[in-house]
């Protein structure tokens, strides 16, 4: 993997108006990558041979648009955010929100990368005595676990904790205990590592407890591996098309309270967060299902489903905070195989799991902010329709400034349709005397 320089400024005005070749040129220059950097994502990024080695019964590869959200400053570093996603408006929304947050930037706090491995123990004769014996043996078990992963320990990671919970005193599985092994996975997501450790330790742990080993697998509720991201937006940045910044601020805070009171709204609020989160996870080759499962379990951790991000008014502005579990890795997984994922990490300058987690969380709070601002002012459809109109204009064959002219006319008439785009384009080209 190359070691690109940190990008200079990612404040790229009207980046969306550039052609693909010019966007690529600007990004490669910003990220300090070689001129052929995007070769990795041409022809789908993944060879059929590589795909065939990744999963079973392969018959092809499946592409998504690969884009870059701009304007992000995260922990004082100007950062490009790679995204792979099919939904229009997510990349634009993230870039817009990052522009609003840019004066103060996003700040993040990333916990140690500690994953939980679970060893279930069933048919325990005496759960209290079994749990007590496991607690007494915790240091010894941890020592054994550390000896199984010497190289991880050399890198400053490895097993760091062992505890036990009682799940049932009696029932179809008898007395049931679960032992949690806490493992600092450093820059790996850690699933293989944790599963291997649990499988290796299970017989011994069950024997000490006086029961039989059950499941041995990591937990995707990685509440020991979280990211907190904050941003603070001044009213001037929030103002929107004739709506004063203070009014937008109040409406966003009210939208946050709605999500805090109602799980039906909290779910959609969190979906807006996951728009940004998942797009970065997919682009960077992460296990996005694991993060999704963890995020929603975390959102419901106190028994009610809650928003992962909340927004509060302050004098002259708005403060946002997102806390979520984020198990990501910059080594292992698909990264060995997928050149597109490696390019995404290079563009982002994310070469540690910590840094990648910060970027993912910043993308999540950004798409949440953009969605709430749109919902709290003009509604979400106007922006969607404007982007959809540009897409239709391009699909109809418009290039250059004609894209904007066709899109503007479609949006103005409210007829955002493919046949209308073709008609408008034909008329404009006729007026310009251009051949079709
Ligand atoms: C659409 O992909 C996401 C939103 O529904 C999020 C939200 O309602 O906050 C706009």
């Amino acid at each position: 993997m190359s070691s690109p320089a940190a990008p200079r400024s990612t404040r790229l005005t009207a980046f969306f108006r550039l052609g693909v070749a010019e966007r690529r040129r600007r990004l490669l220059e910003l990220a300090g990558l070689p001129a052929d950097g995007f070769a990795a994502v041409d022809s789908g990024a993944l060879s059929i041979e590589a795909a065939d080695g990744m999963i079973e019964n392969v018959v092809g590869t499946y592409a998504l648009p690969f884009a870059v959200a701009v304007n992000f400053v995260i922990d004082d570093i100007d950062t490009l955010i790679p995204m792979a996603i099919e939904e229009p408006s997510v990349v634009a929304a993230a870039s817009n929100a990052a522009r609003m947050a840019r004066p103060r930037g996003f700040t993040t706090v990333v916990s140690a990368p500690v994953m939980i491995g679970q060893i279930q123990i069933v048919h325990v004769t005496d759960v209290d005595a079994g749990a007590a014996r496991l607690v007494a043996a915790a240091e010894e078990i941890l020592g054994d676990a550390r000896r199984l992963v010497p190289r991880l320990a050399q890198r400053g990671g490895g097993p760091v904790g062992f505890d036990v919970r009682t799940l049932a005193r009696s029932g179809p599985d008898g007395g049931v205990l679960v032992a949690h092994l806490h493992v600092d996975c450093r820059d790996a997501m850690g699933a293989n590592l944790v599963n291997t450790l649990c499988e290796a330790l299970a017989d011994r742990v069950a024997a000490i407890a006086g029961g039989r080993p059950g499941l041995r697998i990591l937990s995707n509720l990685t509440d020991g591996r979280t990211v907190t991201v904050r941003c603070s937006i001044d009213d001037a940045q929030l103002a929107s098309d004739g709506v004063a910044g203070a009014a937008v601020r109040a409406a966003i805070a009210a939208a946050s309270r709605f999500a805090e009171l109602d799980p039906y709204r909290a779910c959609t609020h969190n979906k807006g967060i996951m728009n940004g989160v998942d797009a970065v996870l997919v682009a960077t080759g992460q296990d996005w299902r694991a993060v999704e499962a963890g995020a929603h379990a975390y959102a419901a951790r106190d028994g009610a489903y809650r928003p992962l991000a909340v927004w509060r008014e302050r004098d002259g502005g708005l403060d946002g905070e997102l806390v979520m579990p984020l198990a990501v890795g910059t080594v292992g997984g698909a990264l060995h195989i997928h050149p597109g994922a490696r390019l995404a990490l290079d563009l982002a300058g994310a070469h540690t799991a910590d840094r990648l987690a910060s970027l993912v969380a910043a993308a999540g709070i950004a798409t949440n902010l953009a969605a709430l601002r749109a919902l709290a002012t003009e509604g979400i459809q106007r922006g969607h329709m404007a982007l959809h109109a540009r897409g239709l204009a391009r699909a109809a064959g418009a290039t250059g400034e004609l894209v904007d002219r066709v899109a503007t006319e479609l949006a103005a008439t409210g007829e955002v349709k493919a046949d209308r785009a073709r008609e408008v384009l034909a008329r404009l080209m006729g007026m310009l005397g251009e051949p079709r």
Side-chain angles (χ1 to χ4, degrees):
M1 192 178 286
S2 61
S3 302
R8 291 187 294 273
S9 171
T10 63
R11 174 79 186 99
L12 299 177
T13 316
F15 186 65
F16 69 97
R17 287 190 200 282
L18 304 177
V20 172
E22 179 57 11
R23 284 189 206 129
R24 287 180 170 200
R25 200 193 59 72
R26 299 273 293 274
L27 293 177
L28 293 173
E29 193 182 281
L30 270 174
L33 292 172
D36 65 349
F38 277 97
V41 288
D42 288 328
S43 68
L46 195 60
S47 70
I48 194 76
E49 293 76 22
D52 200 26
M54 282 173 86
I55 62 166
E56 311 71 38
N57 299 354
V58 165
V59 290
T61 59
Y62 185 97
L64 279 174
F66 177 58
V68 171
V70 296
N71 303 331
F72 277 77
V73 174
I74 305 169
D75 297 324
D76 295 325
I77 302 174
D78 252 292
T79 307
L80 299 166
I81 304 285
M83 292 186 157
I85 188 164
E86 88 298 342
E87 183 174 334
S89 86
V90 170
V91 178
S95 302
N96 279 337
R99 181 180 39 73
M100 288 186 261
R102 197 171 163 84
R104 294 164 200 258
F106 298 96
T107 54
T108 70
V109 180
V110 185
S111 74
V114 176
M115 300 287 283
I116 296 167
Q118 295 196 294
I119 301 171
Q120 181 202 20
I121 313 148
V122 295
H123 298 290
V124 180
T125 323
D126 177 338
V127 286
D128 294 329
R133 280 196 300 277
L134 282 176
V135 170
E139 278 310 313
E140 204 186 307
I141 295 168
L142 269 176
D144 288 352
R146 285 189 193 113
R147 278 187 286 281
L148 289 167
V149 283
R151 284 192 309 164
L152 182 62
Q154 277 159 20
R155 294 202 304 274
V160 291
F162 182 85
D163 49 50
V164 190
R165 290 184 299 130
T166 300
L167 297 185
R169 296 187 164 275
S170 61
D173 304 312
V176 183
L177 296 173
V178 64
H180 279 191
L181 180 68
H182 302 266
V183 185
D184 180 326
C185 296
R186 295 286 91 197
D187 287 322
M189 185 274 192
N192 282 335
L193 186 69
V194 171
N195 294 343
T196 303
L197 281 169
C198 288
E199 289 190 4
L201 294 171
D203 285 348
R204 174 120 190 284
V205 167
I208 294 171
R212 299 208 304 254
L215 304 191
R216 298 140 296 162
I217 186 79
L218 93 164
S219 170
N220 288 122
L221 175 50
T222 62
D223 55 5
R225 190 174 192 177
T226 60
V227 186
T228 303
V229 55
R230 298 189 180 91
C231 62
S232 186
I233 323 282
D234 293 336
D235 285 348
Q237 306 291 330
L238 290 169
S240 159
D241 266 358
V243 188
V248 178
R249 174 229 298 176
I252 293 176
S256 176
R257 291 192 294 274
F258 178 15
E260 289 162 56
L261 290 169
D262 179 16
Y264 287 89
R265 175 56 208 158
C267 177
T268 323
H269 179 102
N270 287 345
K271 194 276 181 180
I273 294 169
M274 301 314 285
N275 274 345
V277 167
D278 284 341
V280 184
L281 295 175
V282 173
T284 57
Q286 306 299 310
D287 182 346
W288 51 271
R289 287 88 52 213
V291 174
E292 278 279 347
H296 298 296
Y298 190 77
R301 67 195 178 284
D302 65 2
Y305 187 90
R306 298 193 188 283
L308 294 166
V310 295
W311 296 89
R312 296 282 180 264
E313 287 189 80
R314 61 164 166 80
D315 195 16
L318 185 71
D319 292 336
E321 182 181 272
L322 162 70
V323 188
M324 66 181 291
L326 257 174
V328 293
T330 50
V331 295
L335 288 165
H336 289 307
I337 306 167
H338 203 298
R342 285 201 302 273
L343 171 65
L345 290 178
D346 281 350
L347 282 168
H351 298 301
T352 63
D354 279 8
R355 181 67 187 159
L356 179 57
S358 295
L359 268 55
V360 172
I365 198 170
T367 49
N368 180 228
L369 171 62
L372 296 189
R373 179 169 176 258
L375 288 167
T377 55
E378 64 191 23
I380 209 79
Q381 282 310 93
R382 191 169 133 195
H384 277 197
M385 279 302 158
L387 288 167
H388 186 44
R390 290 181 66 80
L392 288 180
R394 281 213 174 86
T399 52
E401 65 174 40
L402 278 173
V403 175
D404 272 350
R405 289 180 64 182
V406 174
T408 307
E409 188 164 330
L410 293 185
T413 58
E415 278 191 274
V416 186
K417 298 193 178 110
D419 51 356
R420 198 65 196 110
R422 283 192 292 272
E423 278 166 34
V424 174
L425 178 63
R427 183 166 40 74
L428 290 175
M429 289 181 97
M431 281 161 56
L432 294 172
E434 288 191 25
R436 285 223 65 200

